Amino acid sequence: MEKYVIENQESFNLKHIFECGQCFRWNKEDDGSYIGVIKNAVIKVKKENNKIIFTGNCKTKDFKSLIRYYFDLDTNYSEYKEKLSKIDEYMKQSIEFGEGIRILKQDLWETIISFIISANNNIPRIKKIIERISEKYGDKIEFEEKEYFLFPTIEQLSKASVEDLRALGLGFRDKRIYNTTQMILNKEFDLEKLKKLDNTYLMKEELLKLDGVGPKVADCILLFSLKRIDAFPIDVWVRRVMNDLYIHNEDETKVNKKELEKLAENKFLGLSGIAQQYLFYWKRELEG
DNA sequence: ATCCAGGGACGCG
DNA sequence: CGCGTCCATGGA
């Protein structure tokens, strides 16, 4: 069993991190810890006083560096929070509410598939579907005498037919997952090239070529995997909270998307993705 | 029963 | 380009 402990880590609240809608494979245990499967590892995260204890089963990578990368521990969120808090009282309030949020750096392949599944779907069901996909196509890994399943590799998931995927409850997203998997498998779409592009716009333009990836899903991939903090995913919640706070349109569903993007860009100073996540968590926890 | 979910593809004008 | 419509599924 691997173990890694950090002390006095700023901005690290388990609930805030794992339940702010950015990830789907973490589950709360009875003792308050969370267990999740990332890359080739099962990881348990527990908070005790001023310590955060990571334990797990990690076969192929250095445990410590995997943790530090995934949780982005070399980024200081205090600076983000300070800047955003100065913008207005709403930002200050939402940051106090979700003070322990960190944006994770999740595996690109898994994030692409996960957020294609997220389209017109709800978080509990997204989690269930991803779990089923992992059980059926991913490798088994054990931890504390229990079985877990890694998210399937590109090759593993490419074995699934459209019908296989439909049988897992994917609904109309079956073909999208199939097509995107094949595009990535045969290098028609190159994940490594994507990572090397030097700005968010170019990356987004590239991601939009994938079946099932539209503006919102692309922004989620950019923010939750590639850590492009200027990406601003607009879903029903973000649209709602932005309208409530800044636009005051009678019908929030009619708020223009371009207008929203421009507002976020001007207001949040290149940190719109971070701001978005505090606002999303705040609104959704209080009203969801 | 009807509505809704971290939307996107597609066809239309 | 902007806009409506359809798309599976399951929980409220």
Side-chain angles (χ1 to χ4, degrees):
Chain A
M1 189 185 74
E2 310 284 343
K3 185 168 183 176
Y4 177 55
V5 180
I6 55 178
E7 293 186 55
N8 303 317
Q9 171 65 47
E10 55 86 31
S11 300
F12 202 108
N13 178 297
L14 303 184
K15 179 179 166 64
H16 295 174
I17 292 171
F18 297 129
E19 297 183 28
C20 71
Q22 62 178 326
C23 54
F24 304 108
R25 296 213 69 197
W26 290 89
N27 295 301
K28 192 172 186 175
E29 301 296 299
D30 293 335
D31 65 353
S33 66
Y34 282 77
I35 295 182
V37 183
I38 69 175
K39 291 281 190 181
N40 293 311
V42 188
I43 296 174
K44 179 183 202 172
V45 189
K46 189 168 187 174
K47 199 161 190 173
E48 281 181 9
N49 302 317
N50 63 337
K51 289 183 182 173
I52 297 158
I53 303 160
F54 303 92
T55 54
N57 181 357
C58 174
K59 288 175 178 171
T60 59
K61 273 191 117 177
D62 176 52
F63 192 64
K64 176 182 168 183
S65 58
L66 177 68
I67 298 287
R68 294 203 65 83
Y69 180 85
Y70 182 81
F71 288 95
D72 197 21
L73 294 180
D74 294 320
T75 294
N76 190 339
Y77 271 67
S78 307
E79 295 173 17
Y80 292 157
K81 292 196 276 194
E82 221 169 282
K83 279 188 189 173
L84 290 171
S85 289
K86 285 180 188 161
I87 292 171
D88 59 33
E89 206 54 37
Y90 302 130
M91 282 314 302
K92 193 178 170 191
Q93 204 174 332
S94 71
I95 289 169
E96 279 172 18
F97 186 79
E99 55 80 24
I101 287 176
R102 304 184 77 77
I103 307 287
L104 300 167
K105 285 155 68 170
Q106 303 180 71
D107 177 73
L108 178 57
W109 154 246
E110 177 176 344
T111 306
I112 289 172
I113 298 301
S114 297
F115 279 93
I116 292 175
I117 296 169
S118 80
N120 200 22
N121 212 338
N122 58 65
I123 292 178
R125 205 165 84 89
I126 298 165
K127 289 182 71 168
K128 283 180 191 167
I129 292 172
I130 294 173
E131 207 54 43
R132 264 178 256 147
I133 290 178
S134 302
E135 277 175 29
K136 180 138 189 183
Y137 296 101
D139 287 340
K140 187 193 295 181
I141 181 168
E142 288 188 9
F143 176 64
E144 294 181 339
E145 296 173 0
K146 282 184 72 179
E147 290 182 350
Y148 297 86
F149 292 88
L150 304 179
F151 190 81
T153 63
I154 299 161
E155 289 73 17
Q156 285 173 328
L157 193 58
S158 72
K159 307 296 185 213
S161 67
V162 176
E163 292 73 24
D164 293 336
L165 294 169
R166 175 63 65 98
L168 293 174
L170 274 163
F172 60 84
R173 306 164 192 85
D174 53 3
K175 286 180 188 167
R176 300 176 181 178
I177 298 291
Y178 180 83
N179 290 337
T180 286
T181 300
Q182 296 302 318
M183 281 176 75
I184 294 172
L185 179 74
N186 65 31
K187 299 284 182 187
E188 187 182 333
F189 189 96
D190 191 331
L191 297 180
E192 296 310 311
K193 262 190 199 167
L194 175 72
K195 291 179 186 171
K196 293 191 181 92
L197 295 176
D198 60 302
N199 72 61
T200 304
Y201 179 81
L202 289 176
M203 287 177 166
K204 183 167 180 177
E205 199 175 42
E206 196 62 24
L207 280 167
L208 291 174
K209 294 176 182 170
L210 292 171
D211 194 11
V213 177
K216 154 67 168 59
V217 169
D219 282 331
C220 285
I221 297 165
L222 289 168
L223 184 58
F224 302 138
S225 174
L226 300 169
K227 220 211 162 185
R228 307 305 305 191
I229 58 175
D230 51 339
F232 189 73
I234 299 172
D235 72 327
V236 292
W237 293 102
V238 172
R239 190 182 291 271
R240 197 169 293 161
V241 69
M242 290 294 283
N243 184 52
D244 288 354
L245 301 183
Y246 304 119
I247 301 174
H248 313 297
N249 197 313
E250 284 180 32
D251 185 354
E252 70 192 32
T253 63
K254 289 198 170 65
V255 175
N256 186 273
K257 198 174 162 182
K258 290 273 186 222
E259 183 187 348
L260 265 178
E261 284 171 345
K262 203 161 190 177
L263 176 63
E265 197 178 326
N266 292 333
K267 189 174 279 293
F268 300 133
L269 317 165
L271 299 176
S272 50
I274 308 283
Q276 177 269 166
Q277 205 53 25
Y278 290 118
L279 291 173
F280 175 86
Y281 180 69
W282 185 43
K283 188 71 177 175
R284 192 169 162 277
E285 281 293 309
L286 293 182
E287 294 183 19

